[in-house]
Every structure is written in C-alpha cells, then in structure tokens.
Amino acid sequence: MRIGISCYPTFGGSGVVATELAMALAAEGDEVHVISYALPSRLSFINANLFYHEVVVPHYPLFEYPPYSLALATQIVEVARHQRLDLIHVHYAVPNAVSAVLAREILEPQPLKVVTTLHGTDITLVGNDPNYLETTRFGIVKSDAVTAVSRALREATQKQLGISNHIEVVPNFIDPARYEEARSLPGAQQWSQAGEKVLVHISNFRPVKRVFDVVEIFHRVRQKMPARLLLIGDGPDRPKVEQHGRECGICDSMTFIGNLPLVEEVLVGADLFLLPSETESFGLAALEALACEVPVIATDVGGLPEVVRDGENGFLLPVGDVDGMAAAAVRLLENDSMRQQFGEAGRRWAVERFDQASVVRQYRRIYHRVLED
Ligand code: GMT
C-alpha cells in the first residue's frame, strides 16, 4: 500500500504513535509518506520505503494567523497525486481530518481514502471548544474510517460531539524489543544517589497534566524517605512547577531533564511513575513506564483504567487526591517485593495487550477494509 500519515511532529503522544506506526509499516514493506510541519521527534529510522514531506506555511502580511489547515490540505493533495497514495491516515482530528477531507474532494476523481485516529485532547479540549466543534465533527463524520485510542475516548466522542459513526478502538502500542534492549541501560539510576528512590513524570507540562500534583505527591514522599523526582518534557507550566518545588524546599531533589525522544532510556530502573492528569484518553507515557517494569500511580479518569490495572501494576486514585496518591506511592516504595511484582505484571500486561505487531495488524485491516469499500 501507499500510505500517507499526517501528524504533529512534537513529543506529544499522537505524534509518537503516528511516527512509530509509519516506521513499522515501512519496515513491513508499505510505502509510507509522513506529512508534517517539521520532522517528527521520533522519526529516526532510515528505510527506502519511508518519506517525509514538510508542510510549509508561507507568511503574508495580511495573515495574522497563517492558514496551516490549507497548507496541509495542499501538501496532502500534492503527495497523494504524485506519489499515488491509496489512503491518508491522520492523527489528531484538528485540523488534520478536515484538511484530509478537503484534499480528497480536490483530488476527485482520483480516489483517496481518509482514516482518522482520535487521540484525546482533539476531542476533550480542542474539538469540544465551540470555536472548533463543527469543523471537527465534519472531519470525523466525513472520514472513511475513524479510530479512537481507548473505549473512553470513543464514548466521549460520541457523547460530546454527538457522533454516531462507527468508531473502532485501536489502542496505542509499544515495541517490546525496544524496551527489552533498554533494560541493559543504567536509566533512571544515573540521576540518583545511594539510597534514593526514583520517581518519574513525563508530560507536556500543560494544566491538564496537573504537574503541581506531581510535586505535591513527591513532597509527601520526600518527608518519608530519600527520593528524587525526574521530570521529562517541557511546556507552559514548567517555570511555575520549578518555582513550586523551590517553595516546598525540594527543588534540589527534582531534576528537569527536558524533552527526550526515547523515554525508555530514563524510565528503566525507575521505582515509580506518576501521572495525576485531570483527563487522559490513554496515557501513552504510563504504558511506556509499564513496559519498563515501572509501576504507575495515576488518576482513575478517561482511558487510564484501560492501561493501568489498579492493584496489579499500579494504583488509580481520584483527580486531586494527592494524599491518596502519596500514600500509595509510599506503600509501593517501602515494599520492594510488591514493587517488583507490580513491575513484572506491568511489563507482561503491556506486552500481551499493547504489542506493536498486533496493533499494526489492526490498522492494516482497517486500511484494507476502506480500500475494498
Ligand atoms: O495532550 C496531550 O497529552 C498530547 C496529546 C497528543 O496528541 O500528543 O496526547 C493525547 O494523545 C496521546 C496519544 O494517543 C494519549 O496517550 C494521551 O493520553 C492524550 N492526552 C490526553 O488525553 C490529555
């Protein structure tokens, strides 16, 4: 097949999933054309079947807001026409689904199938915003196939956008081999001193991630034992989070690592992963932690209960319950055998349930279905 994949190039989960999928499809022999406004952070793979096309958004004095959606639609048309794409698979509905549907119209009579994968905030925060709702709904309804990364996101889409289309749940995935290789690395232990437990948080430091809760949980843990908090990622809340750490007197025990393409290189060897989000359609970072045998403490919202099994590979608590999350963290950190048991169960669950090969097969079945239609 000749497949176009459009995504955000950033460190966020939708870009990561799209890029990993592109690399896996290309490795299996499909011709894959990645379309984005910058080289995606995880596109590290050299393969004769894999191509990258940049969306350029020219500035013109009249445009206070350069129309990215139109530049993207134009680039999809160009790539589809000249590379003879069979389908375009867009990740994150806004504006990618609308641009792809527009490109399909422009290309007629050349057929181009549109597959849209919903990732989370494209529905729960952005798509739901009255300023984007109608166009988001249009892009989804007009797609030839729609997938969501969790059952929770499928329900939210149907309810919040009033969509009755068939939406197939295709979860995010991990490549077990990559996480196996990472096990030989020193990982999180590089940052810790003897006797310190290491807690990790990964996010884009947006309010929805509640990174202040991460600091509050860590503060409570720190009162019970020597510990270090590694924070991976970057975003708008980072300076305030750093400030909060200073006010709590624990900033010396917090290490800000910044954005990283391969998070498993830090996750291996960590004692605990924290994800106290306000909402989370899936929580790819939590899955990556489980794949590294790191137990997870998260909130019981959205798709997180589909990834983290409460009492088996982590603990799920209500949003904002920092005391509860800190108590659960201390319970795990004080009990080495429980932590090891949770870690092993987490890796087994990640490999059995979210294996890259079987998820890629699921996407491939969808591609064949829309092409046969
Ligand atoms: O808001 C973010 O966290 C970024 C966003 C993205 O598109 O990169 O993440 C969403 O998609 C990820 C990949 O499917 C999911 O793992 C995240 O749970 C989801 N984020 C939210 O729902 C908040």
Side-chain angles (χ1 to χ4, degrees), residues 12-14 17 92 119-121 149 172 204 209 279-284:
S14 61
V17 171
Y92 207 89
H119 279 274
T121 48
V149 296
N172 292 333
N204 52 16
K209 301 293 177 181
T279 164
E280 202 69 65
S281 69
F282 185 90
L284 179 62

Side-chain angles (χ1 to χ4, degrees), residues 8 10-17 91-92 117-122 124-125 149-150 153 171-172 203-204 206 208-209 275 277-286 303-304 307:
Y8 283 98
T10 52
F11 290 88
S14 61
V16 167
V17 171
H91 289 260
Y92 207 89
T117 290
L118 311 174
H119 279 274
T121 48
D122 46 354
T124 55
L125 296 180
V149 296
S150 63
L153 181 59
N172 292 333
S203 77
N204 52 16
R206 294 191 187 280
V208 69
K209 301 293 177 181
L275 195 63
S277 307
E278 181 85 38
T279 164
E280 202 69 65
S281 69
F282 185 90
L284 179 62
L304 279 169
V307 179

